[in-house]
Amino acid sequence: MSQRDHYDVLGVTRNSTPEEVKAAFRKLAAQHHPDKNPDDPHASIRFKEINAAYQVLSDSQRRAMYDRFGHRAEESGSPFASGGPFAGGVVDFSDIAVDGILGDLLGVFGVGRGDKGDIKRELTITFEESASGCTKEISYDRIVPCGDCSGSGSAPGSRPDTCSACNGRGRVRFQQGLLPIAVERVCQRCRGKGTVVTTPCQGCKGSGLITSPNTIEVTIPPGVEHGAARVVTGAGNRPRADRAAGDLELSIFVAPHPFYRRAGDDVVCTVPITVTQAALGAEVDVPTLDGKGRLRVPAGTQPGHVLRIKGKGMPKRTGVGRGDQRMEVTVEIPTQLTPRQRELFEELARETGEEVQPQQRTFMEKLKDLFG
């Protein structure tokens, strides 16, 4: 079923003022409200039609598009409908990162006008520093307003002129080809400032910006993980004098350690022991994050067995306590035996005979099951 013209629904003309549209809507809404017409099944439909017409005609942009395209402007999926990218027939490129296309660049600094000024850097710390936390000094260059001209770009004692291209608005609107939409973008002559420098500052060559070295101290909390981010508010670039500086975003890189690796809140380390230490048991010196420690190796320890030292891992991410240090045991088999050592091993072999050890027994049982 075709839709009625919104003006006909409200009983107004295309030249009616917003006040006349509102008055007509109030009169019809009160007359056709479903609560006042409980016995009329069509009252609800008429009321919805009246409300839909008023929603369009009371909005100046939607009304303009309706006058141009009719009901097509309000169809679902139409780019000109409310909520569409071209609602009201105007496209605003202010939030679109097309500085490279439109030429809206801040001189040689390469900072887009819409740039928030954030700086990203990588900070490398040691494994031990990631465990205990640390304070690092970071030195880098950032963009700030020129101190000589306070960011205006004009030489001291002079003032910039109002931009004639945009009349000081900083933005211009134009018709894009044959498209029925008006495109708005940053004024290219003044780069959105609304003013044009006629007598440039010698310190910044008229850009209003300079590159300045900056050094800050950053505190890294205990237990920080590789790849974590640390944000320092206000330590980034300040591409405009009338806006706050951006942030410094640090990506934490934890350098590899010769002994340790991290597994959640635990620290994992490989400990080599001798055959006799594995068979008889022993106490061996091991490195920990707190210095040298002692690890008790139980008699009969097998290769790959994991032993733990409680509370010697990383600070827990929950903020309470520390993880463990897990020691993965490897048994070193001697490759060059003295005659006496060989004699002892042969004697051990004769002593044990064909006795099957627990792991050998399990292996043989599985082998038997596999081959029947």
Side-chain angles (χ1 to χ4, degrees), residues 59 61-62 65 73-90:
D59 186 311
Q61 291 186 348
R62 293 178 66 182
M65 296 307 299
E74 292 296 318
E75 290 176 355
S76 177
S78 170
F80 305 107
S82 176
F86 305 147
V90 177

Side-chain angles (χ1 to χ4, degrees), residues 181-260:
I181 58 175
V183 178
E184 186 172 277
R185 61 167 172 80
V186 173
C187 175
Q188 297 300 290
R189 186 165 187 265
C190 66
R191 295 192 175 95
K193 289 184 177 181
T195 57
V196 177
V197 175
T198 55
T199 307
C201 168
Q202 294 301 310
C204 63
K205 308 302 181 185
S207 69
L209 301 171
I210 59 172
T211 300
S212 175
N214 193 46
T215 301
I216 60 173
E217 283 192 346
V218 180
T219 300
I220 305 300
V224 66
E225 296 184 79
H226 178 80
R230 191 76 174 161
V231 177
V232 184
T233 304
N237 291 324
R238 190 180 176 191
R240 292 186 60 167
D242 58 344
R243 294 181 182 176
D247 300 333
L248 174 63
E249 301 177 7
L250 296 173
S251 295
I252 308 300
F253 178 85
V254 180
H257 194 276
F259 294 113
Y260 308 124

